Amino acid sequence: MIKTILKPLSICFVGGALLISCGGENAANNEVENEPENQSDVSLETVIEDDEAVEEAVDQILESESVPNADWQINNYANHLIGENIASSAETADSDNGNYWYYQTLDVKGGFASVTGAVEGWKEFVVWRMADGDDLVGEMTVGGGPACDYQFTFYKGRGAEIEEYSENELFPLDALNRHKTEMIAKIIAKYPVDYPEDSQLIYNFPQKGTGMRVDINIGADEIQVPIAQLAWDKSLFYVDEFLHSPDPLLGE
């Protein structure tokens, strides 16, 4: 919409510049006989450069900024949290022009997005609709390297007004951590690993449904074992089932 408006304005501006230049030609020639012949060309070139600069600035406006907060979908939240417009695919990404990110998966109906780009690792985003009318947005950042580093951040609100929301308010962390401790003992008894003290909970963001599986990632070998299934009541997550097998995931 903004670009559609700017283009006619810039045409009018250029046209106006030409009319002024042409309309004042005789008077200008009478007063200054040695005026450079290409003065109008220089002015037009300047106007075009200014117009291109305006269009370039408009291109940098985030897609989410033109959408009312009440209408935001997962792509708007991903766009807002990354702070850059996200290309639809690797083929359409253009890092030379500042488009570093692109979608690996975008499921607007399912409220799920996976994003990567000119970085090591990737990001995932998911949105849950809450009973109080707010949105809960999850952001997972996975760093590359010898060992993957998982970081989870959750936000609550609507549109650009979302604010970071504590995991303590969302998850039964005491129960999860108790079960995690029990599972670590089982896992390392069957699968000895280096650095068993290095462990963390992994929230598997859902593309379908609202529930979420929780895994434990443990040791230098990054053995990943499912330990719980969570359900969602539109306000918080609760334990639907604890899982007890120490066997790691295969093929994931």
Side-chain angles (χ1 to χ4, degrees):
M1 176 71 74
I2 296 175
K3 293 180 68 175
T4 304
I5 295 171
L6 281 174
K7 287 184 178 179
L9 286 176
S10 63
I11 292 171
C12 293
F13 187 25
V14 172
L18 289 172
L19 288 173
I20 292 171
S21 174
C22 294
E25 183 177 354
N26 290 336
N29 284 340
N30 289 335
E31 293 178 12
V32 184
E33 294 182 359
N34 296 326
E35 180 178 342
E37 294 181 1
N38 65 345
Q39 183 175 3
S40 61
D41 292 337
V42 173
S43 298
L44 174 60
E45 184 176 306
T46 301
V47 169
I48 292 173
E49 288 178 353
D50 290 344
D51 182 54
E52 289 175 348
V54 170
E55 288 211 26
E56 183 178 350
V58 170
D59 285 339
Q60 300 305 313
I61 294 176
L62 296 182
E63 295 172 4
S64 57
E65 293 180 2
S66 62
V67 179
N69 286 345
D71 297 334
W72 277 34
Q73 303 296 325
I74 190 61
N75 54 313
N76 304 120
Y77 284 116
N79 176 262
H80 173 70
L81 291 171
I82 284 180
E84 297 178 12
N85 289 319
I86 304 168
S88 60
S89 66
E91 290 71 27
T92 58
D94 185 0
S95 59
D96 291 339
N97 288 321
N99 297 120
Y100 299 102
W101 297 90
Y102 61 86
Y103 289 108
Q104 297 182 107
T105 302
L106 176 58
D107 183 353
V108 174
K109 184 177 180 180
F112 176 87
S114 176
V115 179
T116 190
V119 295
E120 290 187 1
W122 74 95
K123 285 178 174 283
E124 290 182 8
F125 301 92
V126 66
V127 60
W128 293 268
R129 308 301 184 184
M130 303 187 74
D132 64 3
D134 279 350
D135 289 336
L136 174 67
V137 182
E139 177 183 18
M140 178 180 75
T141 302
V142 184
C148 289
D149 173 51
Y150 296 84
Q151 296 182 7
F152 294 89
T153 310
F154 294 87
Y155 305 87
K156 185 179 185 297
R158 291 297 294 273
E161 304 302 319
I162 58 172
E163 295 181 351
E164 194 166 332
Y165 199 54
S166 170
E167 290 185 38
N168 290 317
E169 299 183 68
L170 285 174
F171 299 104
L173 290 181
D174 289 343
L176 285 173
N177 284 322
R178 281 195 302 269
H179 189 57
K180 170 187 170 183
T181 300
E182 295 173 5
M183 290 301 297
I184 288 175
K186 285 185 177 181
I187 294 166
I188 62 176
K190 188 171 182 179
Y191 302 97
V193 296
D194 292 330
Y195 307 107
E197 66 276 9
D198 292 340
S199 64
Q200 73 172 117
L201 296 176
I202 305 293
Y203 302 109
N204 293 276
F205 287 171
Q207 186 171 345
K208 294 181 179 179
T210 57
M212 185 162 50
R213 193 187 76 216
V214 181
D215 301 340
I216 182 174
N217 187 286
I218 181 171
D221 296 330
E222 293 190 88
I223 293 176
Q224 190 160 329
V225 178
I227 66 168
Q229 183 67 39
L230 303 180
W232 168 248
D233 70 359
K234 292 192 175 183
S235 296
L236 51 79
F237 292 95
Y238 61 92
V239 175
D240 186 49
E241 180 185 8
F242 281 124
L243 306 175
H244 300 279
S245 170
D247 296 329
L249 295 168
L250 298 176
E252 293 193 20

